[in-house]
Amino acid sequence: MIALKKQRELTLTAAPSAGRPLHLSAASGLVCLGSAMYVVADDELHLGVFSTKDDRPGQLVLLFDGALPDEKVARKRHKPDLEALTSLPAFEGFPHGALLAVGSGSRPNRRRGALLALDLSGAITGAARGLDCSAILAPLADVFAEVNIEGAVVVGDELRLFQRGNKQHPDNAIIRYPLAAVIDVVTGTRADALRPMTIDRFDLGHVDGVPLCFTDATALPGGDVVFSAVAEDTDDAFNDGACVGAAIGIVGNDGQLRFVRRLDRPYKIEGIHAELDGNRLDLLAVTDADDPDMAAALYAATIAI
């Protein structure tokens, strides 16, 4: 089993809005660029920016105007549910690339996204641009009983989205798109439906009868992808449940499942970053506390592969 070591809690210099705590609680996507660690939270309208060098409180970058209700049920109903975060290479108007945040697509109001330009050092520059990702996410309703996109990675000239299953529909999948077509969507030059090139489904195993299901992913050099997965005891893509297990694994660039390794404790990992050093894989992961009063945490581990 993989043992994670807690590094810090995701505390903030300022609350996202009046009455909200000074931390992120529902960390759901992670990208590390240089000394910056970017964390998207599925119950906020902001992106968290933290340092990988120290544990100082992070800062927030606004993704969407407006405000979400404070009451938990109402907030869950209205939130954009940003679950996936990835970095895009340079393209027209974005000479140093961009961060792309994508909603889960599990409801029509969860098909939003955000685009943030990066500078040469990988820092965010300028204001976020809100996106309508319906051209990508809406067609998936024809494929999956419940759409629930939890991860996104760029591998070469492809964008790969990770569909998360649940107990009722344990339908984990990697969905591949031409990156050029995705950039046409996010830049507004294409609005018609974007169909996947391929969809590959995966059985990640079970913990106490609950299926392990994708929660995030990050790419390695050569095209292999490291993913996180949790066994959450819920029958749908909307309601939370108890996390009874978690795992980290690798899918090769050829689409084959290399391995799935359990974590020693059922951390609800929803964001992951990995760096490869020979046969050593250095991991960072962030958690979703499922409780606004509890701070999400950053964990680290090193494994041999």
Side-chain angles (χ1 to χ4, degrees):
M1 287 192 175
I2 298 173
L4 297 183
K5 182 179 180 180
K6 187 175 181 179
Q7 303 296 296
R8 58 165 298 171
E9 293 184 343
L10 299 185
T11 56
L12 298 167
T13 57
S17 58
R20 296 290 289 174
L22 286 170
H23 60 247
L24 292 181
S25 62
S28 56
L30 173 63
V31 168
C32 295
L33 296 173
S35 61
M37 181 172 69
Y38 300 110
V39 181
V40 71
D42 68 27
D43 65 346
E44 299 291 353
L45 302 178
H46 297 76
L47 180 79
V49 184
F50 303 86
S51 172
T52 58
K53 304 299 184 182
D54 56 57
D55 59 359
R56 287 176 299 173
Q59 298 180 325
L60 293 173
V61 174
L62 183 67
L63 300 180
F64 305 114
D65 291 330
L68 293 172
D70 287 332
E71 194 275 324
K72 183 176 181 179
V73 174
R75 192 178 191 89
K76 191 177 187 68
R77 187 166 58 249
H78 292 286
K79 68 180 184 178
D81 200 31
L82 296 173
E83 293 282 0
L85 184 68
T86 192
S87 59
L88 302 178
F91 57 99
E92 186 175 357
F94 295 80
H96 304 296
L99 288 175
L100 174 65
V102 181
S104 67
S106 58
R107 296 288 188 277
N109 65 302
R110 297 179 173 188
R111 295 173 181 164
R112 300 166 70 187
L115 194 64
L116 301 108
L118 299 170
D119 67 14
L120 185 60
S121 69
I124 293 171
T125 177
R129 178 188 299 182
L131 306 174
D132 181 357
C133 296
S134 296
I136 299 171
L137 298 177
L140 297 178
D142 297 332
V143 180
F144 301 106
E146 289 188 294
V147 178
N148 191 14
I149 298 303
E150 291 270 338
V153 296
V154 172
V155 179
D157 59 358
E158 295 179 359
L159 176 76
R160 300 178 187 176
L161 298 182
F162 283 67
Q163 159 73 12
R164 177 180 177 179
N166 54 63
K167 283 178 65 179
Q168 185 69 25
H169 303 287
D171 206 3
N172 293 296
I174 299 178
I175 309 158
R176 301 188 182 200
Y177 299 90
L179 180 59
V182 172
I183 289 175
D184 285 343
V185 171
V186 302
T187 56
T189 60
R190 174 175 180 159
D192 59 307
L194 180 58
R195 304 289 176 178
M197 296 188 301
T198 61
I199 298 176
D200 298 314
R201 289 173 165 81
F202 294 87
D203 181 350
L204 306 179
H206 292 70
V207 179
D208 297 336
V210 180
L212 284 163
C213 298
F214 289 135
T215 58
D216 198 27
T218 185
L220 297 175
D224 289 356
V225 172
V226 179
F227 66 83
S228 57
V230 303
E232 186 174 5
D233 194 2
T234 180
D235 288 327
D236 57 52
F238 186 81
N239 293 301
D240 297 322
C243 182
V244 300
I248 290 169
I250 291 182
V251 173
N253 195 34
D254 58 2
Q256 298 300 306
L257 185 62
R258 295 280 191 265
F259 65 77
V260 180
R261 296 184 188 172
R262 291 270 305 277
L263 302 187
D264 62 342
R265 296 180 60 185
Y267 301 103
K268 192 179 179 186
I269 299 298
E270 293 217 2
I272 192 166
H273 171 78
E275 294 185 7
L276 188 62
D277 184 359
N279 292 326
R280 189 186 78 203
L281 195 62
D282 296 321
L283 301 168
L284 292 175
V286 291
T287 57
D288 181 349
D290 275 341
D291 181 343
D293 294 326
M294 292 182 60
L298 173 71
Y299 291 87
T302 296
I303 63 174
I305 59 172

